[in-house]
Amino acid sequence: MKKIAPCLLIVLFLSCSESKMSGPSATSKIVIESFYGKDEAALKANSTPQAYSNYMNTINMFNVAKKDNSNFKVLRDTIMGEVAWVKYTTDYDKTPGLFKLVKQDGEWKADARGSKDVSPF
């Protein structure tokens, strides 16, 4: 037992130290990768109807070679009640992107930004 306890503590420490995305950040990653990968089912499942319509109108304008790893990195994120904002970078684009997400039925969905929407960053 004395030999197992230190091993378990090390495994516990390593598993807790890994950076795992969840919530709006995880949804943002799914949406950006499904957009560039042209995965319409995943895009629809993780977007509001208006955002999905917008994505489908522009999806074919991008002829990006699918990459094994998008290198999605969250620069900043914030949750304000039922609305979240995620600023991110990927290997798909040289400039940082920004997602507005809303909580619907307990899940975060990418939403279309309106002209009156002001990003907190």
Side-chain angles (χ1 to χ4, degrees):
M1 181 67 175
K2 289 182 181 180
K3 293 181 181 179
I4 295 175
C7 292
L8 289 175
L9 287 173
I10 291 171
V11 170
L12 178 64
F13 176 74
L14 291 175
S15 65
C16 290
S17 67
E18 288 183 28
S19 173
K20 296 180 182 171
M21 269 191 280
S22 63
S25 296
T27 301
S28 298
K29 181 177 182 187
I30 292 167
V31 169
I32 197 72
E33 290 177 351
S34 59
F35 177 81
Y36 283 104
K38 298 183 180 181
D39 182 349
E40 294 178 29
L43 199 56
K44 187 173 188 174
N46 290 284
S47 304
T48 63
Q50 184 180 3
Y52 176 72
S53 175
N54 291 350
Y55 295 142
M56 294 312 298
N57 287 334
T58 58
I59 198 167
N60 291 320
M61 287 193 276
F62 294 92
N63 292 323
V64 176
K66 183 144 170 62
K67 299 179 181 185
D68 291 333
N69 187 354
S70 66
N71 286 323
F72 181 88
K73 292 184 180 101
V74 175
L75 300 176
R76 292 184 70 185
D77 63 352
T78 187
I79 299 173
M80 300 177 295
E82 299 292 308
V83 176
W85 293 88
V86 177
K87 188 173 187 176
Y88 65 91
T89 60
T90 67
D91 283 350
Y92 296 121
D93 197 353
K94 294 179 189 215
T95 60
L98 182 67
F99 274 114
K100 174 187 174 192
L101 298 102
V102 293
K103 201 166 206 180
Q104 290 184 344
D105 301 323
E107 294 183 5
W108 289 104
K109 306 273 184 172
D111 194 23
R113 291 184 299 191
S115 60
K116 294 181 182 180
D117 288 327
V118 178
S119 163
F121 27 78

